[in-house]
Coordinates of all heavy atoms in Angstrom, one line a residue:
M49 N 33.8 -42.2 -14.5 CA 32.4 -42.5 -14.6 C 31.7 -41.2 -15.0 O 31.9 -40.2 -14.3 CB 31.9 -43.1 -13.3 CG 30.4 -43.0 -13.0 SD 29.8 -43.7 -11.5 CE 31.0 -44.8 -10.8
S50 N 30.9 -41.2 -16.0 CA 30.2 -40.0 -16.5 C 28.7 -40.1 -16.2 O 28.2 -41.2 -16.6 CB 30.5 -39.7 -18.0 OG 29.8 -38.7 -18.5
K51 N 28.1 -39.2 -15.7 CA 26.6 -39.2 -15.4 C 26.0 -37.9 -15.9 O 26.6 -36.8 -15.9 CB 26.3 -39.4 -14.0 CG 26.9 -40.6 -13.3 CD 26.4 -41.8 -13.9 CE 25.0 -42.2 -13.4 NZ 24.5 -43.4 -14.0
R52 N 24.8 -38.0 -16.3 CA 24.0 -36.9 -16.8 C 23.2 -36.2 -15.7 O 22.7 -37.0 -14.8 CB 23.1 -37.2 -17.9 CG 22.3 -36.1 -18.5 CD 21.5 -36.5 -19.8 NE 22.3 -37.2 -20.8 CZ 23.1 -36.6 -21.7 NH1 23.1 -35.2 -21.7 NH2 23.7 -37.2 -22.5
I53 N 23.2 -34.9 -15.6 CA 22.4 -34.2 -14.6 C 21.0 -34.1 -15.0 O 20.7 -33.8 -16.2 CB 23.0 -32.8 -14.3 CG1 24.5 -32.8 -13.9 CG2 22.2 -32.0 -13.4 CD1 25.1 -31.5 -13.8
T54 N 20.1 -34.4 -14.1 CA 18.6 -34.3 -14.4 C 18.0 -33.4 -13.3 O 18.7 -33.0 -12.4 CB 18.0 -35.7 -14.4 OG1 18.1 -36.2 -13.1 CG2 18.6 -36.6 -15.4
T55 N 16.7 -33.0 -13.5 CA 16.1 -32.3 -12.5 C 15.0 -33.0 -11.9 O 14.3 -33.9 -12.6 CB 15.6 -30.9 -13.2 OG1 14.7 -31.3 -14.3 CG2 16.6 -30.0 -13.6
L56 N 14.8 -32.8 -10.7 CA 13.8 -33.5 -9.9 C 13.2 -32.5 -8.9 O 14.0 -32.0 -8.1 CB 14.4 -34.7 -9.2 CG 13.4 -35.5 -8.4 CD1 12.4 -36.2 -9.2 CD2 14.2 -36.6 -7.5
D57 N 12.0 -32.1 -9.1 CA 11.4 -31.1 -8.2 C 12.2 -29.8 -8.1 O 12.6 -29.3 -7.2 CB 11.2 -31.6 -6.8 CG 10.3 -32.8 -6.7 OD1 9.4 -32.9 -7.5 OD2 10.5 -33.6 -5.8
D58 N 12.6 -29.3 -9.3 CA 13.3 -28.0 -9.5 C 14.7 -28.1 -8.9 O 15.4 -27.0 -8.7 CB 12.6 -26.9 -8.9 CG 11.3 -26.5 -9.7 OD1 11.3 -26.7 -10.9 OD2 10.3 -26.1 -9.1
A59 N 15.3 -29.3 -8.6 CA 16.6 -29.4 -8.1 C 17.4 -30.2 -9.1 O 16.8 -31.2 -9.6 CB 16.6 -30.0 -6.7
A60 N 18.7 -30.0 -9.2 CA 19.5 -30.8 -10.1 C 19.8 -32.1 -9.3 O 20.0 -32.1 -8.1 CB 20.8 -30.1 -10.4
S61 N 19.9 -33.2 -10.0 CA 20.2 -34.4 -9.4 C 21.1 -35.3 -10.3 O 21.1 -35.2 -11.5 CB 18.9 -35.2 -8.9 OG 18.2 -35.7 -10.2
V62 N 21.9 -36.2 -9.6 CA 22.7 -37.1 -10.3 C 22.4 -38.4 -9.7 O 22.5 -38.6 -8.5 CB 24.2 -36.8 -10.2 CG1 25.1 -37.8 -10.8 CG2 24.5 -35.4 -10.8
S63 N 22.1 -39.5 -10.5 CA 21.9 -40.8 -9.9 C 23.2 -41.5 -9.8 O 24.2 -41.3 -10.6 CB 21.0 -41.6 -10.8 OG 21.5 -41.8 -12.1
L64 N 23.4 -42.4 -8.7 CA 24.6 -43.1 -8.5 C 24.3 -44.5 -8.9 O 23.3 -45.1 -8.5 CB 24.9 -43.0 -7.0 CG 25.2 -41.6 -6.4 CD1 25.4 -41.8 -4.9 CD2 26.4 -41.1 -7.1
P65 N 25.3 -45.2 -9.5 CA 25.1 -46.6 -9.9 C 25.3 -47.4 -8.6 O 25.8 -47.0 -7.6 CB 26.3 -46.8 -10.9 CG 27.3 -45.8 -10.6 CD 26.5 -44.5 -10.1
P66 N 24.8 -48.6 -8.7 CA 24.8 -49.5 -7.5 C 26.2 -49.7 -6.9 O 26.3 -49.7 -5.7 CB 24.2 -50.9 -8.0 CG 23.4 -50.4 -9.2 CD 24.0 -49.3 -9.8
E67 N 27.2 -49.8 -7.7 CA 28.6 -50.0 -7.2 C 29.0 -48.7 -6.4 O 29.8 -48.8 -5.4 CB 29.6 -50.4 -8.3 CG 29.7 -49.4 -9.4 CD 28.8 -49.5 -10.6 OE1 27.8 -50.3 -10.5 OE2 29.1 -48.9 -11.6
A68 N 28.6 -47.5 -6.8 CA 29.0 -46.4 -6.1 C 28.3 -46.3 -4.7 O 28.8 -46.0 -3.7 CB 28.7 -45.1 -6.9
V69 N 27.0 -46.7 -4.7 CA 26.2 -46.7 -3.5 C 26.9 -47.8 -2.5 O 27.1 -47.5 -1.3 CB 24.8 -47.0 -3.7 CG1 24.0 -47.3 -2.5 CG2 24.1 -46.0 -4.6
E70 N 27.2 -48.9 -3.1 CA 27.9 -49.9 -2.3 C 29.2 -49.4 -1.7 O 29.6 -49.6 -0.5 CB 28.0 -51.2 -3.1 CG 28.6 -52.3 -2.2 CD 28.8 -53.6 -3.0 OE1 28.0 -53.8 -4.0 OE2 29.7 -54.4 -2.7
A71 N 30.0 -48.9 -2.5 CA 31.3 -48.3 -2.2 C 31.2 -47.3 -1.0 O 32.1 -47.2 -0.2 CB 32.1 -47.7 -3.3
L72 N 30.2 -46.5 -1.1 CA 30.0 -45.5 0.0 C 29.4 -46.1 1.2 O 29.4 -45.4 2.3 CB 29.0 -44.4 -0.6 CG 29.5 -43.4 -1.6 CD1 28.4 -42.7 -2.2 CD2 30.7 -42.6 -1.1
G73 N 28.9 -47.3 1.2 CA 28.4 -47.9 2.4 C 27.1 -47.3 2.8 O 26.7 -47.3 4.0
V74 N 26.3 -46.9 1.8 CA 24.9 -46.4 2.1 C 23.9 -47.2 1.4 O 24.2 -48.1 0.6 CB 24.8 -44.9 1.7 CG1 25.8 -44.0 2.4 CG2 25.2 -44.8 0.2
V75 N 22.6 -46.9 1.7 CA 21.5 -47.6 1.0 C 20.6 -46.5 0.5 O 20.7 -45.4 0.8 CB 20.8 -48.5 2.0 CG1 21.6 -49.7 2.6 CG2 20.2 -47.7 3.2
A76 N 19.8 -47.0 -0.4 CA 18.8 -46.1 -1.1 C 18.0 -45.4 0.1 O 17.6 -46.0 1.0 CB 17.9 -46.8 -2.0
G77 N 17.9 -44.1 0.0 CA 17.2 -43.3 1.0 C 18.1 -42.9 2.1 O 17.7 -42.1 3.0
G78 N 19.3 -43.3 2.1 CA 20.4 -42.9 3.1 C 20.8 -41.5 2.9 O 20.5 -40.8 1.8
E79 N 21.5 -40.9 3.9 CA 22.0 -39.6 3.8 C 23.4 -39.5 3.4 O 24.3 -40.3 3.8 CB 21.8 -38.9 5.2 CG 21.7 -37.4 5.1 CD 21.4 -36.8 6.4 OE1 20.9 -37.6 7.3 OE2 21.6 -35.6 6.6
L80 N 23.8 -38.6 2.5 CA 25.1 -38.4 2.1 C 25.7 -37.0 2.5 O 24.9 -36.0 2.5 CB 25.3 -38.5 0.6 CG 25.0 -39.9 -0.1 CD1 25.0 -39.7 -1.6 CD2 26.0 -40.9 0.4
D81 N 26.9 -36.9 2.6 CA 27.5 -35.6 2.9 C 28.2 -35.1 1.6 O 28.9 -35.9 1.0 CB 28.6 -35.7 4.0 CG 29.3 -34.4 4.3 OD1 28.7 -33.6 5.1 OD2 30.4 -34.1 3.7
I82 N 28.0 -34.0 1.1 CA 28.5 -33.5 -0.2 C 29.2 -32.2 0.1 O 28.7 -31.2 0.7 CB 27.4 -33.2 -1.2 CG1 26.7 -34.5 -1.5 CG2 28.0 -32.6 -2.5 CD1 25.5 -34.4 -2.4
E83 N 30.5 -32.2 -0.2 CA 31.4 -31.0 0.0 C 31.9 -30.5 -1.3 O 32.3 -31.3 -2.2 CB 32.6 -31.5 0.9 CG 33.5 -30.4 1.2 CD 34.6 -30.9 2.1 OE1 34.6 -32.0 2.6 OE2 35.6 -30.1 2.3
I84 N 31.9 -29.2 -1.5 CA 32.4 -28.6 -2.8 C 33.8 -28.2 -2.5 O 34.1 -27.4 -1.6 CB 31.5 -27.4 -3.2 CG1 30.0 -27.8 -3.4 CG2 32.1 -26.7 -4.4 CD1 29.1 -26.7 -3.5
V85 N 34.7 -28.7 -3.3 CA 36.1 -28.3 -3.3 C 36.5 -27.8 -4.7 O 36.7 -28.7 -5.5 CB 37.0 -29.5 -2.8 CG1 38.5 -29.1 -2.8 CG2 36.6 -30.0 -1.4
G86 N 36.7 -26.5 -4.7 CA 37.0 -26.0 -6.1 C 35.8 -26.2 -7.0 O 34.6 -25.8 -6.7
R87 N 36.0 -26.9 -8.0 CA 35.0 -27.3 -9.0 C 34.7 -28.8 -8.9 O 34.2 -29.4 -9.9 CB 35.4 -27.0 -10.4 CG 35.5 -25.4 -10.6 CD 35.9 -25.1 -12.0 NE 35.0 -25.6 -13.0 CZ 34.3 -25.0 -13.9 NH1 34.4 -23.7 -13.9 NH2 33.5 -25.7 -14.7
A88 N 35.0 -29.4 -7.8 CA 34.7 -30.8 -7.6 C 33.8 -31.0 -6.4 O 33.7 -30.3 -5.5 CB 36.1 -31.6 -7.4
L89 N 33.1 -32.2 -6.5 CA 32.2 -32.5 -5.3 C 32.9 -33.8 -4.6 O 33.3 -34.7 -5.3 CB 30.8 -33.0 -5.8 CG 29.9 -31.9 -6.4 CD1 28.6 -32.5 -6.9 CD2 29.7 -30.8 -5.5
I90 N 32.9 -33.8 -3.4 CA 33.3 -34.9 -2.6 C 32.1 -35.4 -1.9 O 31.4 -34.7 -1.2 CB 34.3 -34.6 -1.5 CG1 35.7 -34.0 -2.2 CG2 34.7 -35.7 -0.6 CD1 36.7 -33.6 -1.3
V91 N 31.8 -36.8 -2.3 CA 30.6 -37.4 -1.8 C 31.0 -38.5 -0.8 O 31.8 -39.4 -1.2 CB 29.7 -38.0 -2.9 CG1 28.5 -38.6 -2.4 CG2 29.4 -36.9 -3.9
R92 N 30.5 -38.4 0.5 CA 30.8 -39.4 1.5 C 29.6 -39.7 2.3 O 28.6 -39.0 2.3 CB 31.9 -38.8 2.4 CG 33.2 -38.4 1.8 CD 34.1 -37.9 2.9 NE 33.7 -36.5 3.3 CZ 34.5 -35.7 3.9 NH1 35.7 -36.1 4.3 NH2 34.1 -34.5 4.2
S93 N 29.7 -40.9 3.0 CA 28.6 -41.2 3.9 C 28.7 -40.1 5.0 O 29.7 -39.5 5.3 CB 28.7 -42.6 4.5 OG 29.8 -42.7 5.3
V94 N 27.6 -39.9 5.6 CA 27.5 -38.8 6.7 C 28.5 -39.4 7.9 O 29.2 -38.5 8.4 CB 26.1 -38.7 7.3 CG1 26.1 -37.9 8.5 CG2 25.2 -38.0 6.2
E95 N 28.6 -40.6 8.1 CA 29.4 -41.2 9.1 C 30.9 -40.9 8.8 O 31.7 -40.5 9.7 CB 29.2 -42.6 9.4 CG 27.8 -43.0 9.9 CD 26.7 -43.0 8.9 OE1 27.1 -42.9 7.6 OE2 25.5 -43.0 9.3
D96 N 31.3 -41.2 7.6 CA 32.7 -40.9 7.2 C 33.1 -39.4 7.2 O 34.1 -39.0 7.7 CB 32.9 -41.4 5.8 CG 33.1 -42.9 5.6 OD1 33.2 -43.6 6.7 OD2 33.1 -43.4 4.5
A97 N 32.1 -38.6 6.8 CA 32.3 -37.1 6.9 C 32.5 -36.7 8.4 O 33.4 -35.8 8.6 CB 31.2 -36.4 6.3
Q98 N 31.7 -37.3 9.2 CA 31.8 -36.8 10.6 C 33.2 -37.3 11.2 O 33.8 -36.6 11.9 CB 30.7 -37.5 11.5 CG 30.7 -37.1 13.0 CD 30.6 -35.6 13.1 OE1 29.9 -34.9 12.5 NE2 31.2 -35.1 14.2
R99 N 33.7 -38.5 10.9 CA 34.9 -39.0 11.3 C 36.0 -38.1 10.8 O 37.0 -37.9 11.6 CB 35.1 -40.4 11.0 CG 34.5 -41.5 11.9 CD 35.0 -42.9 11.6 NE 34.6 -43.4 10.3 CZ 33.5 -43.9 9.9 NH1 32.6 -44.2 10.8 NH2 33.3 -44.4 8.7
S100 N 35.9 -37.7 9.6 CA 37.0 -36.9 9.0 C 37.0 -35.5 9.7 O 38.1 -35.0 10.0 CB 36.7 -36.7 7.5 OG 37.6 -35.9 6.9
R101 N 35.8 -34.9 10.0 CA 35.8 -33.7 10.7 C 36.4 -33.8 12.1 O 37.2 -32.9 12.6 CB 34.4 -33.1 10.8 CG 33.9 -32.6 9.5 CD 32.6 -31.8 9.6 NE 31.9 -31.7 8.3 CZ 31.0 -32.6 7.8 NH1 30.6 -33.6 8.5 NH2 30.5 -32.4 6.7
E102 N 36.0 -34.9 12.8 CA 36.6 -35.1 14.1 C 38.1 -35.2 14.1 O 38.8 -34.7 14.9 CB 35.9 -36.3 14.8 CG 34.5 -36.1 15.2 CD 33.8 -37.4 15.6 OE1 34.4 -38.5 15.5 OE2 32.6 -37.3 15.9
F103 N 38.6 -36.0 13.2 CA 40.1 -36.2 13.0 C 40.7 -34.8 12.7 O 41.8 -34.5 13.4 CB 40.4 -37.2 11.9 CG 41.9 -37.3 11.7 CD1 42.6 -38.1 12.4 CD2 42.5 -36.6 10.6 CE1 44.0 -38.3 12.3 CE2 43.8 -36.8 10.4 CZ 44.6 -37.6 11.2
S104 N 40.2 -34.1 11.8 CA 40.8 -32.8 11.5 C 40.8 -31.8 12.7 O 41.8 -31.2 13.0 CB 40.0 -32.1 10.4 OG 40.2 -32.8 9.2
D105 N 39.7 -31.9 13.5 CA 39.6 -31.0 14.7 C 40.7 -31.4 15.7 O 41.4 -30.6 16.4 CB 38.2 -31.1 15.4 CG 37.2 -30.4 14.5 OD1 37.5 -29.7 13.6 OD2 35.9 -30.7 14.8
I106 N 40.8 -32.8 16.0 CA 41.8 -33.3 16.9 C 43.2 -32.9 16.4 O 44.1 -32.4 17.2 CB 41.7 -34.8 17.1 CG1 40.3 -35.1 17.8 CG2 42.9 -35.3 17.8 CD1 40.0 -36.5 17.8
L107 N 43.5 -33.1 15.1 CA 44.9 -32.8 14.6 C 45.1 -31.3 14.7 O 46.2 -30.9 15.2 CB 44.9 -33.2 13.1 CG 46.3 -32.9 12.4 CD1 47.4 -33.6 13.1 CD2 46.2 -33.2 10.9
E108 N 44.2 -30.5 14.4 CA 44.4 -29.0 14.5 C 44.7 -28.6 16.0 O 45.5 -27.9 16.3 CB 43.2 -28.3 14.1 CG 43.3 -26.7 14.0 CD 42.1 -26.1 13.4 OE1 41.5 -26.7 12.4 OE2 41.7 -25.0 13.8
S109 N 43.9 -29.3 16.9 CA 44.1 -29.0 18.3 C 45.6 -29.4 18.8 O 46.2 -28.7 19.5 CB 43.1 -29.7 19.1 OG 43.3 -29.7 20.5
V110 N 46.0 -30.6 18.3 CA 47.4 -31.0 18.8 C 48.4 -30.1 18.1 O 49.4 -29.7 18.8 CB 47.6 -32.5 18.2 CG1 49.0 -32.9 18.4 CG2 46.7 -33.5 19.0
L111 N 48.3 -29.8 16.9 CA 49.2 -28.8 16.2 C 49.3 -27.5 16.9 O 50.3 -26.9 17.1 CB 48.9 -28.7 14.7 CG 49.1 -29.9 13.9 CD1 48.7 -29.7 12.4 CD2 50.6 -30.4 13.9
K112 N 48.1 -27.0 17.3 CA 48.0 -25.7 18.0 C 48.8 -25.8 19.4 O 49.5 -24.9 19.8 CB 46.6 -25.3 18.2 CG 46.4 -23.9 18.6 CD 44.9 -23.6 18.7 CE 44.6 -22.1 18.9 NZ 43.2 -21.8 18.9
K113 N 48.5 -26.9 20.1 CA 49.1 -27.0 21.5 C 50.6 -27.2 21.3 O 51.3 -26.8 22.2 CB 48.5 -28.2 22.2 CG 47.1 -28.0 22.6 CD 46.6 -29.2 23.3 CE 45.1 -29.1 23.7 NZ 44.5 -30.3 24.2
R114 N 51.1 -27.8 20.3 CA 52.5 -28.3 20.1 C 53.3 -27.3 19.2 O 54.4 -27.5 18.9 CB 52.6 -29.6 19.7 CG 51.8 -30.7 20.5 CD 52.7 -31.0 21.8 NE 52.1 -32.1 22.5 CZ 51.6 -32.0 23.7 NH1 51.7 -30.9 24.4 NH2 51.1 -33.1 24.3
R115 N 52.6 -26.3 18.8 CA 53.3 -25.4 17.7 C 54.6 -24.9 18.2 O 55.6 -24.9 17.4 CB 52.3 -24.2 17.5 CG 52.9 -23.3 16.4 CD 52.0 -22.1 16.2 NE 52.6 -21.2 15.1 CZ 52.1 -21.1 13.9 NH1 51.1 -21.9 13.5 NH2 52.7 -20.4 13.0
K116 N 54.8 -24.4 19.4 CA 56.0 -23.8 19.9 C 57.1 -24.9 19.8 O 58.2 -24.7 19.4 CB 55.9 -23.3 21.2 CG 57.1 -22.5 21.7 CD 56.9 -21.8 23.0 CE 56.2 -20.5 22.7 NZ 56.2 -19.5 23.9
A117 N 56.8 -26.1 20.3 CA 57.7 -27.2 20.3 C 58.2 -27.5 18.9 O 59.4 -27.8 18.6 CB 57.1 -28.4 21.0
Y118 N 57.2 -27.6 17.9 CA 57.5 -27.9 16.5 C 58.4 -26.8 15.9 O 59.4 -27.1 15.2 CB 56.3 -28.1 15.7 CG 55.4 -29.2 16.1 CD1 54.1 -29.2 16.1 CD2 56.0 -30.5 16.5 CE1 53.3 -30.3 16.4 CE2 55.3 -31.5 16.9 CZ 53.9 -31.5 16.8 OH 53.1 -32.5 17.2
E119 N 58.1 -25.5 16.3 CA 59.0 -24.4 15.8 C 60.4 -24.5 16.3 O 61.4 -24.3 15.6 CB 58.4 -23.1 16.1 CG 57.1 -22.8 15.3 CD 56.4 -21.6 15.8 OE1 56.6 -21.1 16.9 OE2 55.4 -21.2 15.0
Q120 N 60.5 -24.8 17.6 CA 61.9 -24.9 18.2 C 62.6 -26.2 17.6 O 63.8 -26.1 17.3 CB 61.8 -25.2 19.7 CG 61.2 -23.9 20.5 CD 61.0 -24.1 21.9 OE1 60.9 -25.4 22.3 NE2 60.8 -23.1 22.6
L121 N 61.9 -27.3 17.3 CA 62.6 -28.4 16.7 C 63.0 -28.1 15.3 O 64.1 -28.5 14.9 CB 61.5 -29.5 16.7 CG 62.0 -30.9 16.1 CD1 63.2 -31.4 16.9 CD2 60.8 -31.9 16.1
A122 N 62.2 -27.3 14.6 CA 62.6 -26.9 13.2 C 63.8 -26.0 13.2 O 64.7 -26.2 12.4 CB 61.4 -26.2 12.5
K123 N 63.8 -25.1 14.2 CA 65.0 -24.2 14.2 C 66.2 -25.0 14.6 O 67.3 -24.7 14.0 CB 64.8 -23.1 15.3 CG 63.8 -22.0 14.9 CD 63.6 -21.1 16.0 CE 62.5 -20.0 15.6 NZ 62.2 -19.1 16.7
R124 N 66.1 -25.9 15.4 CA 67.3 -26.8 15.9 C 67.7 -27.6 14.6 O 68.9 -27.7 14.4 CB 66.9 -27.7 17.0 CG 68.1 -28.4 17.6 CD 67.8 -28.7 19.1 NE 67.9 -30.0 19.3 CZ 67.1 -30.7 20.2 NH1 66.3 -30.0 20.9 NH2 67.2 -31.9 20.4
L125 N 66.8 -28.1 13.9 CA 67.1 -28.9 12.7 C 67.9 -28.1 11.7 O 68.8 -28.5 11.1 CB 65.9 -29.6 12.1 CG 66.0 -30.5 11.0 CD1 67.0 -31.7 11.3 CD2 64.7 -30.9 10.4
I126 N 67.3 -26.9 11.5 CA 68.0 -26.0 10.5 C 69.3 -25.6 11.0 O 70.3 -25.7 10.2 CB 67.1 -24.7 10.3 CG1 65.8 -25.2 9.5 CG2 67.9 -23.6 9.5 CD1 64.7 -24.1 9.5
A127 N 69.5 -25.4 12.3 CA 70.9 -25.0 12.8 C 71.8 -26.1 12.7 O 73.0 -25.9 12.3 CB 70.7 -24.5 14.3
E128 N 71.4 -27.3 12.9 CA 72.3 -28.5 12.8 C 72.6 -28.9 11.5 O 73.7 -29.5 11.2 CB 71.6 -29.7 13.5 CG 71.5 -29.5 15.1 CD 70.8 -30.6 15.8 OE1 70.3 -31.6 15.0 OE2 70.6 -30.6 17.0
T129 N 71.7 -28.6 10.5 CA 72.0 -29.0 9.2 C 72.5 -27.8 8.2 O 72.7 -28.0 7.1 CB 70.8 -29.6 8.5 OG1 69.7 -28.6 8.4 CG2 70.4 -30.9 9.2
G130 N 72.7 -26.7 8.8 CA 73.1 -25.6 8.1 C 72.0 -25.0 7.2 O 72.3 -24.4 6.2
G131 N 70.8 -25.3 7.4 CA 69.6 -24.8 6.7 C 69.2 -25.7 5.6 O 68.2 -25.4 5.0
S132 N 69.8 -26.8 5.4 CA 69.5 -27.7 4.4 C 68.8 -29.0 4.9 O 69.4 -29.9 5.3 CB 70.7 -28.2 3.6 OG 70.4 -29.1 2.6
T133 N 67.4 -28.8 5.1 CA 66.7 -29.9 5.7 C 66.1 -30.8 4.8 O 65.7 -31.9 5.1 CB 65.5 -29.3 6.7 OG1 64.7 -28.6 5.8 CG2 66.1 -28.4 7.7
G134 N 65.9 -30.3 3.5 CA 65.3 -31.1 2.6 C 63.7 -31.1 2.6 O 63.0 -31.7 1.9
V135 N 63.2 -30.2 3.6 CA 61.8 -30.1 3.9 C 61.4 -28.6 3.5 O 62.2 -27.7 3.9 CB 61.5 -30.3 5.4 CG1 60.0 -30.0 5.6 CG2 61.9 -31.7 5.7
R136 N 60.4 -28.5 2.8 CA 59.9 -27.1 2.4 C 59.2 -26.5 3.5 O 58.4 -27.1 4.2 CB 59.0 -27.2 1.2 CG 59.6 -27.7 -0.1 CD 58.6 -27.5 -1.3 NE 57.3 -27.7 -0.9 CZ 56.4 -28.4 -1.6 NH1 56.7 -29.1 -2.6 NH2 55.1 -28.5 -1.2
D137 N 59.5 -25.2 3.7 CA 58.7 -24.4 4.7 C 57.4 -23.9 4.0 O 57.4 -23.2 3.0 CB 59.6 -23.2 5.0 CG 58.8 -22.3 6.0 OD1 57.7 -22.7 6.5 OD2 59.3 -21.2 6.4
E138 N 56.3 -24.3 4.6 CA 55.0 -24.0 4.0 C 54.2 -23.1 4.9 O 53.1 -23.2 5.1 CB 54.2 -25.2 3.6 CG 54.9 -26.0 2.5 CD 54.0 -27.1 1.9 OE1 52.9 -27.2 2.3 OE2 54.6 -28.0 1.2
G139 N 55.0 -22.2 5.6 CA 54.3 -21.3 6.6 C 53.9 -21.9 7.9 O 52.9 -21.4 8.4
L140 N 54.5 -22.9 8.3 CA 54.1 -23.5 9.6 C 54.5 -22.5 10.6 O 54.4 -22.2 11.6 CB 54.7 -24.8 9.9 CG 54.3 -25.9 8.9 CD1 55.1 -27.1 9.1 CD2 52.8 -26.2 8.9

């Protein structure tokens, strides 16, 4: 979907078609969460963005608490398979 950028009160704006508004679960005058990722915008309802942040916080907390156990499990797996786990090490 391609949209033209317009200005409104000295701010750039993009209008959303009705199907996008419906897909986001918002209504005219509702609030959106906009996140910049690289050169892309992620547009979500405020509620979806909050749920996503809460999930990320919980996941990070669990990973932090269980880090030592995951590292030991990985070492054991590597030892048992001779280092060939089929899983890439991404700096965990």
